[in-house]
Amino acid sequence: MGHSRAYPVYRTTDEEAAYDRAKELCAGLELIEDEIWVDAVLADPERLLRVAEAVPDLAFEGSDQEEYDPWDEPEPDRFPVWAWSEEAPEDADLPFLAAAGDAPALLGRRGRWPGPDGSVQYDGVQVVFHHDDLELDPPDRRTETHTVFLHVHKHCPPSRVRELAARAGLNVLGEARTGW
């Protein structure tokens, strides 16, 4: 068991540009899973309901780390609420982002990079919106930037990471972080 290494390869204040770069990077995956990973930190009941309506079968957890039902009466002391799924339909990405608005959120696509360093368990692309952490932690830290991360197996050489990023016209912007 282990974790991927996630390298930041693109950072911008333009949400659409970050989304587009992530899609371009995903095009380089040799194999790509049908489902996507979505996650958001929601600070108000209205946004929570929009997200719940936009993507079926999300899990919700209040700030007390207990399950939260978005359809019940709002409990202000349990906000922020996390909404997530690691198996959302691939076409849920844009409805999810529209519903999340300017809340911290992320999209992830898992797959396998071509070549001998590819790994189905660890490879993929993640874009983090309005936050700078791969897991949106801490939940109250919000940024104006959006960052695209390239995930690889921990034994993948840095030169290969640079090559994969360059295929989408991107550059490695910093050190690897512990990924999924």
Side-chain angles (χ1 to χ4, degrees):
M1 185 106 177
H3 294 281
S4 68
R5 298 295 176 256
Y7 290 84
V9 295
Y10 185 75
R11 188 171 292 117
T12 182
T13 56
D14 182 335
E15 188 172 321
E16 188 175 332
Y19 177 84
D20 290 345
R21 294 304 82 70
K23 291 288 260 190
E24 290 169 10
L25 195 56
C26 282
L29 289 164
E30 181 176 69
L31 170 102
I32 192 162
E33 291 185 358
D34 293 335
E35 297 86 20
I36 60 171
W37 170 22
V38 298
D39 197 342
V41 179
L42 307 165
D44 62 86
E46 294 80 20
R47 192 177 313 234
L48 175 64
L49 288 176
R50 286 195 308 267
V51 168
E53 290 170 348
V55 182
D57 300 324
L58 290 174
F60 298 90
E61 182 178 287
S63 60
D64 57 1
Q65 298 182 342
E66 297 293 326
E67 185 177 325
Y68 188 93
D69 184 348
W71 308 109
D72 280 348
E73 277 296 311
E75 298 175 46
D77 61 324
R78 294 188 64 198
F79 279 84
V81 171
W82 283 262
W84 80 91
S85 174
E86 290 189 26
E87 298 176 348
E90 64 183 321
D91 62 353
D93 55 357
L94 293 176
F96 173 78
L97 289 176
D102 65 356
L106 65 83
L107 296 174
R109 294 294 306 255
R110 293 182 187 204
R112 183 180 66 228
W113 298 112
D117 297 310
S119 169
V120 172
Q121 185 174 358
Y122 300 107
D123 294 353
V125 176
Q126 180 180 357
V127 58
V128 178
F129 299 93
H130 301 290
H131 209 289
D132 58 4
D133 183 75
L134 292 163
E135 296 181 3
L136 308 178
D137 191 40
D140 60 348
R141 180 173 65 213
R142 186 186 171 289
T143 69
E144 294 301 319
T145 59
H146 319 291
T147 306
V148 176
F149 292 90
L150 185 155
H151 287 258
V152 294
H153 187 278
K154 65 183 175 185
H155 298 298
C156 183
S159 60
R160 177 69 172 150
V161 175
R162 288 190 297 275
E163 176 190 329
L164 293 169
R167 288 181 178 186
L170 305 173
N171 296 303
V172 175
L173 302 177
E175 296 298 316
R177 300 181 190 182
T178 302
W180 50 51

